Amino acid sequence: MSCVPSALVAGATGFAGALAAHLLWRHPEFELQTVTGRAEAGQRLDRVYPRYRVPLELQELDIDRHGDVDAAIVAYPHAASAPVVAALRERGVRVCDLSADFRLRELVTYERWYGPHPHPELIAEAVYGLPELHRDELRATQLVATPGCYPTASLLALAPLARAGLIADVVIDAKQGLSGAGRAATWQTHFSNSGENILPYNIVHHRHTPEIEEQLAALGADLRVQFTPHLVPLDQGELVDCYVTPTRAVEQGELEAMYEDAYGSEPFVEIAPEPAEVRDVRETNVCRLHVAVSEHTGKVVVLSAIDNLWKGTSAQAVQCLNIMFGYDETTGLL
Amino acid sequence: MSCVPSALVAGATGFAGALAAHLLWRHPEFELQTVTGRAEAGQRLDRVYPRYRVPLELQELDIDRHGDVDAAIVAYPHAASAPVVAALRERGVRVCDLSADFRLRELVTYERWYGPHPHPELIAEAVYGLPELHRDELRATQLVATPGCYPTASLLALAPLARAGLIADVVIDAKQGLSGAGRAATWQTHFSNSGENILPYNIVHHRHTPEIEEQLAALGADLRVQFTPHLVPLDQGELVDCYVTPTRAVEQGELEAMYEDAYGSEPFVEIAPEPAEVRDVRETNVCRLHVAVSEHTGKVVVLSAIDNLWKGTSAQAVQCLNIMFGYDETTGLL
Amino acid sequence: MSCVPSALVAGATGFAGALAAHLLWRHPEFELQTVTGRAEAGQRLDRVYPRYRVPLELQELDIDRHGDVDAAIVAYPHAASAPVVAALRERGVRVCDLSADFRLRELVTYERWYGPHPHPELIAEAVYGLPELHRDELRATQLVATPGCYPTASLLALAPLARAGLIADVVIDAKQGLSGAGRAATWQTHFSNSGENILPYNIVHHRHTPEIEEQLAALGADLRVQFTPHLVPLDQGELVDCYVTPTRAVEQGELEAMYEDAYGSEPFVEIAPEPAEVRDVRETNVCRLHVAVSEHTGKVVVLSAIDNLWKGTSAQAVQCLNIMFGYDETTGLL
Amino acid sequence: MSCVPSALVAGATGFAGALAAHLLWRHPEFELQTVTGRAEAGQRLDRVYPRYRVPLELQELDIDRHGDVDAAIVAYPHAASAPVVAALRERGVRVCDLSADFRLRELVTYERWYGPHPHPELIAEAVYGLPELHRDELRATQLVATPGCYPTASLLALAPLARAGLIADVVIDAKQGLSGAGRAATWQTHFSNSGENILPYNIVHHRHTPEIEEQLAALGADLRVQFTPHLVPLDQGELVDCYVTPTRAVEQGELEAMYEDAYGSEPFVEIAPEPAEVRDVRETNVCRLHVAVSEHTGKVVVLSAIDNLWKGTSAQAVQCLNIMFGYDETTGLL
């Protein structure tokens, strides 16, 4: 018998699920009970991902057998995730979903980008799992929609400006390592294609755009965002450059005070004195920001660096679980 | 005795000069006579850069001994370059200068970014070495200022829109490989810093900005440009994303026709059906463009991929020399 | 009507075939007539491989339609290749086969490593396409078995020692870039696996071993070779370290004379004064060697660097075609 | 006042010292009191190495002020290290030295490779800090010579065979990431040189050779080792391939039993069922081994993967400190 809450990671063979399993396995306040993964069921997770060192055997998910836990992280693709989440919620499990299924408040927006929603009735219950913006709601919820990695970096970069009503227009140019493309072996992820290359993709229609826009609107900045992602030749890490045309002239000192005010007491947000680099946040739950105004153009440039798998996905989910279960937010993440 | 014009590369030990030497060495219409480089004088260039296979001994530059040539590429740092260029011009040598010394039309702009100009009297004589924009002037000049790599990629991306009066505002986010940082060993270029990293630098005040603005203004787009560069973990290659707020609504078909019209007969500009990637232009003199309008934001996104050392510097200089000497523009570059 | 021999590349969508097509397309003495590839038939090759700029449409191979050429490079997997080669040979086409099908002299060895041989009757006709070892036979043959990349690098490294009877024992530790793993997208070639990693594979049973042994035996060194390959995080390039226990004590000067004697007049072999590096041979047909004897252990260390796709495969095939057709061996390869 | 031993890291601005500081800063049983570094004295360490997040100001080392600690890790170059170690030992500080100064038992060997020894009288006191080989001596000593990274990987790979008298001859081919070349910016570590390259160096005379030989001799294998290192394009990680000619025929099952027997209860050594890869040990104190005998050559191939900065240097030093202070060996290292 365990004295700490038991946990399940459903879909532990993708990059996000495997890292979630790693983080919960070494977490002092959860007991990772089950890891699932259909294709590799029967193998131990530390055979599939030696570096994560989780010595549990992968199961084929069976809600009746595996759903008797206190907490779950669900790492399924969108649409496939919602039914698993629904079944777990029926059993009273507190869930962090890593898919897109519960990130968008507006059903119509979801359906435009992802198709029919399997469980629209759960949308209202879900809280957007960005603790720096939704900490109080996270304390009270049982269902968290973990943000996409691009929205995490972009929203932390833009939130102070959005709240201050300072964003007239914004261009977001995002660069990410190949782990962001997932574990599937494709021509895109082939080293001989992605190495020594820069791969722009979905340059005018990426589905993280509506997620960013919905959250910005909730902060008071109701506008259309130009968002363009790229893959660059590294594994883990993401840098988002936000180019903001401000609604009025702003000064460097004012910006620095605004960001210090917003994030000075946040355990996982750093304001960097120099341009933020992804190497400085690799394998951490930290978002590292740098803000500068151009005297030449008047534009505000905000750089936001995260590890796409950590703060961008799985570690942020654990941060949310810590909040949901009343633990110190940094437990198991330092 | 040689039947073809003789050539000098001054400063052949930096990345740009060494590549220029390589290209002229294998060029069928020039005879590379001398390569210079102070620090490594006495060594053969193929010892310093085995891959370029130029079996000439590096000399310490002596204009009296080495200036008796028909053509020269000068690969010195700014301010150090102008005196060498002046001395060569006095001897009647046709010169491609790779430095910033003759790129800017406005002396005051030069001096704001680079300090006092050693030979302002030569500025008027110099032609900006972007053949796709200045081909006719290049045919008639004896002094070429080879553009910076960022301006090359940016201007080829933006020229058709600038000429059409379509640019209301533009953000340029540039990504480049480490060769762009030059041959000097620094912490920036250390593999353990630049590998698995993305390095934004000079994010609101890079000195290629005035060069882009001056050329855009000459094309009819007189505006301030937000330009932000990054180093990404590859060696040669540069991708520039231009985010244009157009002065009126534009359609995809109109854009494609505009770019086809501008570049359809250019030997070194390609319009790509998919987002342009740097791997596709590596070690070529090609600029590969892709243009798309966002139905969501109305913004025009132009991607421009070049090899920063080839089309971005040395191969473009050879393209200019071909034009100056009346050769087919592609000679020695295919 | 063409005044130069016509050529076919069968299987032009793999890395080796695509490069072969690129090299023949720009070759002054061949006219590339047809490129084939089943999966991508109907697409232009420059859409599949923009960087190679071959504007031909990929065909589904039909020997009756495409076999009416003077020369062919066949880039099919082993066992699939031999029937195509046989059909082309029946039509009198001179063929360079890139597969393993005709590399081994001994049928029994082939069948142990690759299974039943579809056309054993052609084995005797084939010449092993390493010009530095078999130039005279290549002049007279119509069928060339292009060596594997590991054997190419290893044999050029070891041939002088083998001929001199100096090899008592040898360990070959090979490192290669990811292009060596082929175009198929696999977990092995996924950037998130192969980046920041070193991947040893087939450490005690790689099928290039018998090919190395057979050729060494023909040179007088009949022994068993310990061969172990690794993938390292780069794209093109291969370094082979040969650790030779000599049959008697040797001195550095003797070694250098031996290698100079063997390769001094070879257009594509360089003896490097410092340890050979793969960057120095990238996208060239050069094999760069460095030889040193350890005063401490008495062992001879030979380093051999090639581009696995160029000298290791496709450019070497073109070198062989040049010999077969009586052209200067370097035509189209400098 | 602190209830745990206080610690000093002298030379915290190199890669090894900075990581040591990071590990001691987050270690639950030491209190990192001082970090020193001359060139950057006055700056905070988390400014120099943001990712290590040690918020201490770098001091210029002053033994009188900083030597009043319980434990010290000294990360100075060889010869510069010994005087600092001596001064700390005089004050009774328990020291892990990361330099070569106390690794070799034989003074004459040291002096042949490194020059005059500043404190030969301390050699006898020092214990070689490889816990898997010298655990009992480490419990009793006050001075530890942390092994070089290559010897760490090589000795853990070879120790079982050496003890069993099975090594007749051995070739060690080592591959390491660029962090192994240190923090100094050189042409070697320049991304444009080390990227897309493989850099063999000191191929027949690397000074880690005598260290490996001395330790092997102590285990019963008194022989000369052929050791050749390479830099490959990754940051942290090292793979060592040991090719052993055994003194008698051995079988796979026997080898596996031998390694299981040697390391089955070691917390930081893993026997991998497949070839060991460096990605699996990155940022861990684990040495991952794989052993295989070739049926073809009879040779035994042992692969040994470590993180050169962790198990290869600083984390191993912390493992030694844990032993010296009687803590669980894994404290602060999981």
Side-chain angles (χ1 to χ4, degrees):
Chain A
M1 204 192 79
S2 163
C3 313
V4 297
S6 59
L8 158 74
V9 173
T13 54
F15 288 163
L19 175 57
H22 170 70
L23 292 171
L24 288 178
W25 178 255
R26 66 175 207 181
H27 195 291
E29 301 292 349
F30 289 100
E31 189 203 5
L32 181 60
Q33 197 165 287
T34 308
V35 289
T36 78
R38 188 163 7 172
E40 275 129 338
Q43 281 194 65
R44 268 174 46 163
L45 186 52
D46 58 5
R47 187 77 183 260
V48 184
Y49 288 91
R51 70 166 167 150
Y52 284 146
R53 294 183 167 76
V54 177
L56 298 180
E57 189 179 295
L58 286 157
Q59 310 293 320
E60 183 154 1
L61 178 63
D62 174 343
I63 289 286
D64 289 331
R65 286 178 53 214
H66 306 133
D68 184 20
V69 287
D70 300 299
I73 292 179
V74 178
Y76 273 36
H78 66 85
S81 193
V84 176
V85 170
L88 290 166
R89 288 297 307 119
E90 268 178 33
R91 276 157 184 78
V93 182
R94 283 185 256 188
V95 178
C96 277
D97 180 36
L98 302 187
S99 84
D101 282 354
F102 303 103
R103 291 176 189 163
L104 293 164
R105 300 298 85 198
E106 295 297 324
L107 179 59
V108 61
T109 311
Y110 179 90
E111 300 201 328
R112 190 179 313 129
W113 289 87
Y114 297 97
H117 196 296
H119 284 275
E121 76 283 2
L122 287 174
I123 293 177
E125 185 188 330
V127 171
Y128 194 72
L130 199 50
E132 292 77 7
L133 300 188
H134 298 278
R135 186 169 283 118
D136 289 339
E137 300 152 80
L138 287 168
R139 284 199 184 98
T141 194
Q142 316 259 316
L143 173 55
V144 170
T146 312
C149 62
Y150 290 131
T152 292
S154 302
L155 291 167
L156 291 174
L158 294 172
L161 295 170
R163 281 202 205 97
L166 277 170
I167 307 179
D169 190 31
V170 61
V171 167
I172 304 177
D173 184 293
K175 301 106 183 140
Q176 190 182 205
L178 270 296
S179 63
R183 191 187 170 213
T186 63
W187 175 238
Q188 191 185 47
T189 62
H190 193 303
F191 189 97
S192 292
N193 180 43
S194 49
E196 287 285 305
N197 205 354
I198 303 171
L199 292 158
Y201 67 103
N202 293 353
I203 62 170
V204 291
H205 59 279
H206 191 282
R207 59 198 185 191
H208 280 180
T209 310
E211 190 181 331
I212 297 170
E213 289 177 348
E214 225 185 46
Q215 292 289 320
L216 282 182
L219 291 164
D222 195 350
L223 80 166
R224 295 193 171 196
V225 166
Q226 175 61 44
F227 173 78
T228 300
H230 307 73
L231 295 172
V232 291
L234 50 97
D235 179 15
Q236 284 174 230
E238 174 178 322
L239 181 76
V240 160
D241 291 52
C242 301
Y243 300 95
V244 174
T245 306
T247 51
R248 61 166 174 80
V250 291
E251 298 203 347
Q252 184 67 26
E254 178 189 2
L255 286 172
E256 287 172 8
M258 189 182 297
Y259 277 76
E260 178 59 28
D261 191 50
Y263 297 124
S265 61
E266 283 295 339
F268 291 120
V269 182
E270 292 178 356
I271 313 298
E274 279 112 22
E277 301 177 7
V278 300
R279 177 171 278 272
D280 294 337
V281 296
R282 185 176 168 136
E283 307 215 338
T284 77
N285 195 44
V286 173
C287 175
R288 194 166 165 92
L289 299 173
H290 176 75
V291 60
V293 61
S294 165
E295 292 182 17
H296 182 63
T297 63
K299 286 196 163 48
V300 177
V301 182
V302 194
L303 305 181
S304 178
I306 61 171
D307 184 310
N308 51 301
L309 294 182
W310 284 64
K311 182 63 175 170
T313 313
S314 305
Q316 179 150 269
V318 172
Q319 186 183 359
C320 290
L321 281 181
N322 284 339
I323 295 171
M324 292 162 89
F325 281 81
Y327 300 135
D328 182 288
E329 204 164 320
T330 65
T331 311
L333 292 172
L334 293 183
Chain B
M1 204 191 79
S2 162
C3 313
V4 296
S6 59
L8 158 73
V9 174
T13 56
F15 287 163
L19 175 57
H22 169 70
L23 293 171
L24 288 178
W25 179 255
R26 67 176 207 179
H27 195 291
E29 302 290 350
F30 289 100
E31 190 202 3
L32 181 60
Q33 197 165 285
T34 308
V35 289
T36 79
R38 187 163 8 172
E40 275 128 337
Q43 282 194 66
R44 267 172 47 162
L45 186 52
D46 58 4
R47 187 76 184 260
V48 184
Y49 289 90
R51 70 168 168 149
Y52 285 147
R53 295 184 166 74
V54 177
L56 299 179
E57 189 179 293
L58 286 157
Q59 309 293 320
E60 184 152 1
L61 178 64
D62 174 343
I63 290 286
D64 289 332
R65 287 178 54 218
H66 306 134
D68 185 21
V69 288
D70 301 298
I73 292 180
V74 179
Y76 273 37
H78 65 85
S81 193
V84 177
V85 170
L88 290 166
R89 289 296 308 119
E90 270 177 32
R91 275 156 186 78
V93 181
R94 283 184 258 189
V95 178
C96 277
D97 179 36
L98 303 187
S99 84
D101 283 354
F102 303 103
R103 291 176 188 162
L104 292 164
R105 299 299 86 197
E106 295 296 324
L107 178 60
V108 61
T109 309
Y110 179 91
E111 300 202 329
R112 190 180 314 129
W113 289 87
Y114 298 96
H117 195 297
H119 285 275
E121 77 283 0
L122 287 174
I123 293 178
E125 184 190 329
V127 171
Y128 193 72
L130 199 51
E132 292 77 7
L133 300 188
H134 299 278
R135 186 168 283 119
D136 288 341
E137 301 152 79
L138 287 168
R139 285 201 182 97
T141 194
Q142 316 258 317
L143 174 54
V144 170
T146 312
C149 61
Y150 290 131
T152 293
S154 302
L155 291 167
L156 292 175
L158 293 172
L161 296 170
R163 281 201 206 98
L166 278 170
I167 307 181
D169 189 30
V170 61
V171 168
I172 304 178
D173 183 294
K175 300 107 185 139
Q176 191 181 206
L178 270 296
S179 63
R183 191 184 169 214
T186 63
W187 174 237
Q188 190 184 46
T189 62
H190 194 303
F191 189 97
S192 293
N193 179 44
S194 50
E196 289 284 305
N197 206 355
I198 303 170
L199 291 158
Y201 67 102
N202 294 353
I203 63 171
V204 291
H205 59 280
H206 191 281
R207 59 198 186 191
H208 280 179
T209 309
E211 190 181 332
I212 297 169
E213 289 177 347
E214 224 185 46
Q215 291 289 319
L216 282 182
L219 292 163
D222 195 350
L223 81 167
R224 295 194 170 195
V225 166
Q226 174 60 45
F227 174 77
T228 300
H230 308 72
L231 295 173
V232 291
L234 50 98
D235 178 15
Q236 284 175 230
E238 174 177 322
L239 181 76
V240 160
D241 291 52
C242 301
Y243 299 95
V244 174
T245 306
T247 50
R248 61 165 174 81
V250 291
E251 297 203 347
Q252 185 65 26
E254 179 188 4
L255 287 171
E256 287 173 8
M258 189 182 297
Y259 278 76
E260 178 60 27
D261 191 49
Y263 297 123
S265 60
E266 283 294 341
F268 291 120
V269 182
E270 292 178 355
I271 313 298
E274 280 112 23
E277 302 177 7
V278 300
R279 176 172 279 271
D280 294 338
V281 296
R282 185 176 170 135
E283 308 215 339
T284 77
N285 195 44
V286 173
C287 175
R288 193 166 165 92
L289 299 173
H290 177 76
V291 60
V293 61
S294 164
E295 292 182 17
H296 183 63
T297 63
K299 286 195 163 49
V300 177
V301 182
V302 194
L303 306 180
S304 178
I306 61 171
D307 183 310
N308 52 301
L309 293 182
W310 283 64
K311 181 63 176 169
T313 312
S314 306
Q316 180 151 270
V318 172
Q319 185 183 359
C320 291
L321 281 181
N322 284 339
I323 296 171
M324 293 163 89
F325 281 81
Y327 301 136
D328 181 287
E329 203 165 319
T330 65
T331 311
L333 293 173
L334 293 184
Chain C
M1 206 191 80
S2 164
C3 313
V4 297
S6 59
L8 158 74
V9 173
T13 55
F15 288 163
L19 175 57
H22 170 70
L23 293 171
L24 289 179
W25 178 254
R26 66 176 208 181
H27 195 291
E29 301 291 350
F30 289 100
E31 189 202 4
L32 181 60
Q33 196 165 286
T34 307
V35 289
T36 78
R38 187 164 7 174
E40 275 129 336
Q43 282 194 65
R44 269 174 45 164
L45 186 52
D46 59 4
R47 185 76 183 259
V48 183
Y49 288 91
R51 71 169 167 147
Y52 284 146
R53 295 184 167 75
V54 178
L56 299 179
E57 189 179 294
L58 286 157
Q59 310 293 321
E60 184 154 1
L61 178 63
D62 174 343
I63 290 284
D64 290 332
R65 286 177 55 215
H66 306 133
D68 183 20
V69 288
D70 301 298
I73 293 180
V74 179
Y76 274 35
H78 66 85
S81 193
V84 175
V85 169
L88 290 166
R89 290 296 307 119
E90 270 178 30
R91 277 159 184 77
V93 181
R94 284 184 256 188
V95 178
C96 277
D97 180 36
L98 303 186
S99 84
D101 283 353
F102 303 102
R103 292 176 187 161
L104 294 164
R105 301 297 88 197
E106 295 297 325
L107 178 60
V108 61
T109 310
Y110 179 90
E111 300 202 327
R112 190 180 314 130
W113 288 88
Y114 297 96
H117 196 297
H119 285 274
E121 76 283 1
L122 287 174
I123 294 178
E125 184 190 331
V127 170
Y128 193 72
L130 199 50
E132 292 77 9
L133 301 188
H134 299 279
R135 185 169 283 120
D136 289 341
E137 299 152 80
L138 287 168
R139 284 201 183 98
T141 193
Q142 315 259 317
L143 174 55
V144 170
T146 313
C149 61
Y150 290 130
T152 293
S154 302
L155 292 167
L156 291 175
L158 295 172
L161 296 170
R163 282 202 205 96
L166 277 169
I167 308 180
D169 189 31
V170 61
V171 167
I172 304 177
D173 184 292
K175 301 105 182 139
Q176 189 181 207
L178 270 296
S179 63
R183 192 186 169 211
T186 63
W187 175 237
Q188 190 185 48
T189 62
H190 194 302
F191 188 98
S192 292
N193 179 43
S194 49
E196 289 284 306
N197 206 356
I198 303 170
L199 292 158
Y201 66 104
N202 293 354
I203 62 171
V204 291
H205 59 281
H206 191 282
R207 58 197 184 190
H208 281 179
T209 310
E211 190 181 332
I212 297 169
E213 290 177 348
E214 225 185 46
Q215 291 289 319
L216 282 182
L219 291 163
D222 195 351
L223 81 167
R224 296 197 171 193
V225 166
Q226 174 60 44
F227 173 77
T228 300
H230 307 73
L231 295 172
V232 291
L234 50 96
D235 178 16
Q236 284 174 230
E238 174 177 322
L239 182 75
V240 160
D241 290 53
C242 302
Y243 299 96
V244 174
T245 306
T247 50
R248 61 165 173 80
V250 291
E251 298 204 343
Q252 183 66 26
E254 178 189 4
L255 286 172
E256 287 172 8
M258 189 183 297
Y259 278 75
E260 179 60 28
D261 191 50
Y263 297 123
S265 61
E266 283 294 341
F268 292 120
V269 181
E270 292 178 356
I271 312 299
E274 281 112 22
E277 301 177 7
V278 299
R279 177 171 278 271
D280 295 337
V281 296
R282 184 177 170 136
E283 307 215 337
T284 77
N285 195 45
V286 173
C287 175
R288 195 166 164 93
L289 299 174
H290 177 75
V291 62
V293 62
S294 165
E295 291 183 18
H296 182 63
T297 62
K299 286 195 162 47
V300 177
V301 182
V302 193
L303 306 180
S304 177
I306 61 170
D307 183 312
N308 51 302
L309 294 182
W310 283 64
K311 182 63 175 170
T313 313
S314 305
Q316 179 151 270
V318 172
Q319 186 183 359
C320 290
L321 281 181
N322 284 339
I323 296 171
M324 292 163 89
F325 281 80
Y327 301 134
D328 181 289
E329 203 164 319
T330 66
T331 310
L333 292 174
L334 295 182
Chain D
M1 206 192 79
S2 164
C3 315
V4 295
S6 59
L8 158 73
V9 173
T13 56
F15 287 163
L19 175 57
H22 170 70
L23 293 171
L24 289 179
W25 178 255
R26 66 175 207 180
H27 194 290
E29 301 290 349
F30 289 100
E31 189 202 4
L32 180 61
Q33 196 166 288
T34 308
V35 290
T36 79
R38 187 164 7 174
E40 274 128 337
Q43 282 194 64
R44 268 174 46 164
L45 186 52
D46 57 5
R47 187 75 183 259
V48 184
Y49 289 91
R51 70 168 167 147
Y52 285 147
R53 296 185 166 75
V54 177
L56 298 179
E57 190 179 294
L58 287 158
Q59 310 293 321
E60 185 153 1
L61 179 63
D62 174 344
I63 289 285
D64 290 331
R65 286 177 54 216
H66 305 133
D68 183 20
V69 288
D70 301 297
I73 292 180
V74 179
Y76 274 36
H78 65 86
S81 193
V84 176
V85 169
L88 289 166
R89 288 297 307 121
E90 270 178 31
R91 278 159 183 76
V93 181
R94 283 183 256 188
V95 178
C96 278
D97 180 35
L98 303 186
S99 83
D101 282 354
F102 303 102
R103 291 175 189 163
L104 293 164
R105 302 297 87 197
E106 294 297 324
L107 179 60
V108 62
T109 311
Y110 179 92
E111 300 201 327
R112 189 180 315 130
W113 289 86
Y114 297 96
H117 196 296
H119 286 274
E121 76 283 2
L122 287 175
I123 292 177
E125 184 188 332
V127 171
Y128 193 71
L130 198 50
E132 292 77 8
L133 300 188
H134 299 279
R135 186 168 282 119
D136 288 340
E137 300 152 78
L138 286 168
R139 286 203 182 96
T141 193
Q142 316 258 315
L143 175 54
V144 170
T146 312
C149 62
Y150 290 131
T152 294
S154 302
L155 291 167
L156 291 175
L158 294 172
L161 296 170
R163 282 202 205 97
L166 279 169
I167 308 180
D169 189 31
V170 61
V171 168
I172 304 178
D173 183 293
K175 300 108 182 137
Q176 189 180 208
L178 269 295
S179 63
R183 190 185 170 213
T186 63
W187 175 238
Q188 190 184 46
T189 62
H190 194 302
F191 189 98
S192 292
N193 180 43
S194 49
E196 288 284 306
N197 206 355
I198 303 169
L199 292 157
Y201 66 104
N202 294 353
I203 63 171
V204 291
H205 59 280
H206 191 282
R207 60 196 185 192
H208 280 180
T209 310
E211 190 180 331
I212 297 169
E213 289 177 348
E214 225 185 47
Q215 292 288 321
L216 281 183
L219 291 164
D222 196 350
L223 80 168
R224 296 196 170 193
V225 166
Q226 174 61 43
F227 173 77
T228 299
H230 307 73
L231 295 172
V232 290
L234 50 97
D235 178 17
Q236 283 174 231
E238 174 177 322
L239 182 76
V240 160
D241 291 52
C242 301
Y243 299 94
V244 174
T245 306
T247 50
R248 61 165 173 80
V250 291
E251 298 204 344
Q252 184 66 25
E254 178 188 3
L255 286 171
E256 288 172 7
M258 189 183 295
Y259 278 76
E260 178 59 29
D261 191 49
Y263 297 124
S265 60
E266 282 295 340
F268 291 120
V269 181
E270 291 177 356
I271 312 298
E274 281 111 23
E277 302 178 6
V278 299
R279 178 171 278 271
D280 294 337
V281 297
R282 185 178 171 136
E283 307 214 339
T284 77
N285 195 45
V286 173
C287 176
R288 194 166 165 91
L289 299 174
H290 177 75
V291 61
V293 61
S294 165
E295 291 182 18
H296 182 63
T297 63
K299 286 196 162 49
V300 177
V301 182
V302 194
L303 306 180
S304 177
I306 62 170
D307 183 311
N308 51 302
L309 294 182
W310 283 64
K311 182 62 175 170
T313 313
S314 306
Q316 180 150 269
V318 172
Q319 185 183 359
C320 290
L321 281 181
N322 284 339
I323 296 171
M324 293 162 88
F325 281 82
Y327 301 134
D328 181 288
E329 204 165 320
T330 66
T331 311
L333 292 174
L334 295 182

